[in-house]
Amino acid sequence: GENVEQHPSTLSVQEGDSAVIKCTYSDSASNYFPWYKQELGKRPQLIIDIRSNVGEKKDQRIAVTLNKTAKHFSLHITETQPEDSAVYFCAASMGSGGYNKLIFGAGTRLAVHP
Amino acid sequence: KAGVTQTPRYLIKTRGQQVTLSCSPISGHRSVSWYQQTPGQGLQFLFEYFSETQRNKGNFPGRFSGRQFSNSRSEMNVSTLELGDSALYLCASSFQTGVNTEAFFGQGTRLTVV
């Protein structure tokens, strides 16, 4: 079935450390993998995304890697700051063709301690 | 450019009633998707509309329905409300080009069923 597993569910790091969140998807036809950050009481906001024809993408302190063979993708945040504290969701598009059906992981609550 | 607007922001309804939620996408966006967010189930896909047609549907009962108007605004309706329908309902709009593009979320409508 359509499923995205996300680990860990909670992550606590010290300011300046790195944080890694991992996701596994089930649909081999998935070709778009966004990551969203949701702060308390706010809407989810896209922080980075990757398509299936790319293995890695970086944007300042944030990077995402994709292993299509293993159907894994991961979010890496370096030099974490207290403002990185939020819930992070991975998602995978179900099917191809540009249809906007995203299946989300259960979320990771990241806490960055000063 | 105005973001995705959802109305109302908050709703309290009684079991058995019906409710209609509204979503105005970003100007120029033709795809609108709806998601249900609950603490226990995370973000779950309800349906997607594009050019007034439902293209995708999630695993929700028939009590959940939606529609899209010619100006791309969308509404979702939930009939015969149950306590378990209490959730944050988020809509997301995308500029559809045939490949997956970023989904921009609205602030959501928080529905409480009593």
Side-chain angles (χ1 to χ4, degrees), chain A residues 2 31-32 36 38 41-46 49 51 89 93-106, chain B residues 3-4 31 33 35 37 42-43 45 48 55-58 88 90 94 96 98-107:
Chain A
E2 300 171 339
N31 59 6
Y32 177 64
Y36 284 85
Q38 188 175 29
K42 296 192 176 180
R43 71 188 79 192
Q45 292 200 295
L46 182 79
D49 56 13
R51 300 183 191 280
F89 293 96
S93 64
M94 286 298 122
S96 57
Y99 299 118
N100 291 306
K101 179 177 182 178
L102 295 175
I103 302 300
F104 283 83
Chain B
V4 180
S31 168
S33 301
Y35 293 85
Q37 186 173 26
L43 278 150
F45 176 82
E48 184 215 358
R55 296 205 300 186
N56 278 295
K57 193 175 189 307
L88 180 67
L90 292 159
S94 300
Q96 191 61 47
V99 295
N100 292 107
T101 54
E102 178 177 356
F104 294 83
F105 282 89
Q107 290 275 44

